[in-house]
Every structure is written in structure tokens, then in C-alpha cells.
Amino acid sequence: MAAIGFIGLGNMGGPMARNLLKAGHSLKVFDLSVAAVEGLTAAGATKAASASDAARDVEFVVTMLPAGEHVRSVYLGEGGLIASANKGTLFIDSSTIDIPSARETIAAAEAAGMMMVDAPVSGGVGGAEAGTLTFMVGGTEAAFQKAKPVLEKMGKNIFHAGAAGNGQVAKVCNNMILGISMIGVSEAFVLGERLGLDAQTLFDISSTASGQCWSMTSYCPVPGPVPTSPANRNYQPGFTAGMMLKDLRLALEAAKTAKSPIPLGGQAAQLYALMEAAGEDGLDFSGIIKLIRGDL
Ligand code: NAD
């Protein structure tokens, strides 16, 4: 059993922290939202007075924050987590953030004699609740090995993706595939529909043929073929179009730095941005089919 500080108790962090409590760890928690903190103290966690207080006298600190600016502001500088924690504390940042912020924060932690990994996740709120997240971890082998037993209480698949920041690299690459493939599947189902092909028939054929992919078989954007997909509940998320857009914008930034062309990733970002402009970025990202059908 370890003493863990947990900062960022939102849609993802809340259930992740609960799973650490269930595993018998003791948790000191902090969030700007009082309600989020109360949810966790009711489950047995101790309330910290601030983020830096949550990082004091613990062995591990887990953060699950919205974006790079939040991670930098919480970790860096006087009164930041790195300055406040005991020597030897291991930091695990599971937020999805830009690669330079991840690398800068880990370098600052290492310069202060701490260990840190970036460990973004895939699997959404359902995976966070069930403790079945996939973690993509960047950092030294020693930091990865130390973080792994903690991550295993929140996830099922824990991958070491390489050096600092590589967890974020894996995350943007994976989500770019997902964002693009969902658009491809959506275009095909709308085209099939307009040419007189029933969605279930197209699903039966393509899900066993070369068009098969996760966006079709696990998250089909039309209601019917995959009963658990958001299409069956009016595209309530799941994983919102707004979050997909955030990840595609991170991919675009990263591609610019790497001078790597991502023409389809760029197009995909623009299509999800149209959902945002229509005020529909709170829908699940598979709701992109509504845009393609002309319903937005
Ligand atoms: P969220 O907005 O629900 O939660 C973020 C929490 O951080 C909020 O409770 C907020 O109050 C808190 N916070 C912000 N700034 C803070 C600060 N300075 N100090 C303390 N707390 C602070 O977001 P989420 O859905 O839980 O996502 C968290 C991260 O996980 C994001 O980077 C997101 O991209 C990533 N992610 C989300 C999903 C998903 O399906 N929701 C899936 C994979 C990855």
C-alpha cells in the first residue's frame, strides 16, 4: 500500500483515483472543484489544501489535468509540485498534453532529482471506471518499472513507449488514426445508404472484409449494428468531438515540429472543427456522421 497524491479529479481522474482507493492505497486529493474533492473524500481519500500539499509526504503523485498549460502551472516554479514533494517521489502525469510540455516538465523533475513519466491513457470514462485503461508511458526504464504497479490498478494494458514524452507521441498517433478512420467509416455508411445499401448489410460485409476497423466494429457511427455504440443513444459521449479535436490539434502541432505531413489528420481536424463551430462538439466524435449526412 502506497501513499499517493492525486490532482485532477474530473471525468477521468475521479474514477481513476477511486480505483487506487479500492486497491488499498491511501490518497491525498486536490481539485479546483470542491464537488470533485468531496466525491473522493466520501470514498475514503484525504482532502489536501492545495496541489502542492497533495504532493507532500507521498511516494507517488498522479495528475489528470486538461492540457499542457495546467500541467506546467501545477508542476513548475516555486510552490509547484516538483519543488514541494519529498525527494524520491515519482510523478505520473496521465493528462493528454503537447509533447514539449511533457518533455519540459519531466526534464525539470529529473533536474530536481525526481523521477517522472508521462502516461496518457486511452479507454475513456468507461475504461477509467472499469480500471481497464491503456497507459502509454514515456520515461526511463527505472521510472516505468516503479510506476507500473500503480498504473496496473487503473489500467489493463501498460506500455513503455520509450523516452520522456513518447507516451504523448503514441497517444496523438493513435488518436489521429481513430479520428481519421471514424470519418472514413461515416462516409462509407452515408454513401452506402444513399446508394440503397442497408447499414446492417454493409456492416456484415465490411466488418469481415478489408474495411474492418475499430471505428466500425466497436463504435459504429450508425445505430443498430453495434448496440453499445454512442449512435444508439443520440451520440451522447463516450469521447466527445471536442476532445478528438483537441487531440488532432496536438497532432498538427507535433507534425509541424517534426516536419511530417499529415494531410488526412489536418482534414480530420477541420471536420471536427466544423462540429465545434456548429456548437455540437459535446456530441460523441462518431456524431461526425451527422455532419457528413448534412444534418448539422
Ligand atoms: P475534466 O475536465 O473532466 O477534468 C479535469 C479536472 O482537472 C477538473 O476537475 C478540473 O477542475 C481539474 N483542474 C484543472 N486545473 C487544475 C488545477 N490547476 N489544479 C487542480 N485541478 C485542476 O477532464 P477529463 O475528461 O478528466 O480529462 C483529463 C485529461 O484526460 C485530459 O487531458 C483529456 O484530454 C484526457 N483524456 C480524456 C478522456 C475522456 O474520455 N474524457 C479520454 C482519454 C484522455
Side-chain angles (χ1 to χ4, degrees), residues 47 51-53 58 62 76 88 142 178 193 200 234 278 280 284 289:
K47 175 184 167 180
S52 49
D53 181 35
V58 292
V62 183
L76 303 176
L178 178 63
E193 200 173 280
Q200 184 65 50
N234 276 326
E280 298 286 5
D284 188 79
I289 196 168

Side-chain angles (χ1 to χ4, degrees), residues 7-98:
I7 299 148
L9 307 164
N11 293 323
M12 296 293 290
M16 288 164 70
R18 267 189 195 86
N19 283 331
L20 291 177
L21 281 172
K22 271 189 220 147
H25 294 301
S26 71
L27 253 65
K28 266 168 90 178
V29 297
F30 181 72
D31 194 292
L32 298 177
S33 152
V34 175
V37 173
E38 280 170 357
L40 262 293
T41 50
T46 306
K47 175 184 167 180
S50 62
S52 49
D53 181 35
R56 258 178 230 122
D57 302 323
V58 292
E59 295 154 68
F60 298 91
V61 175
V62 183
T63 48
M64 193 52 167
L65 298 164
E69 73 239 41
H70 307 93
V71 170
R72 281 198 313 274
S73 80
V74 165
Y75 275 91
L76 303 176
E78 256 176 72
L81 300 184
I82 294 170
S84 309
N86 298 351
K87 293 286 170 230
T89 306
L90 175 82
F91 297 111
I92 299 172
D93 178 40
S94 282
S95 326
T96 300
I97 65 170
D98 59 286

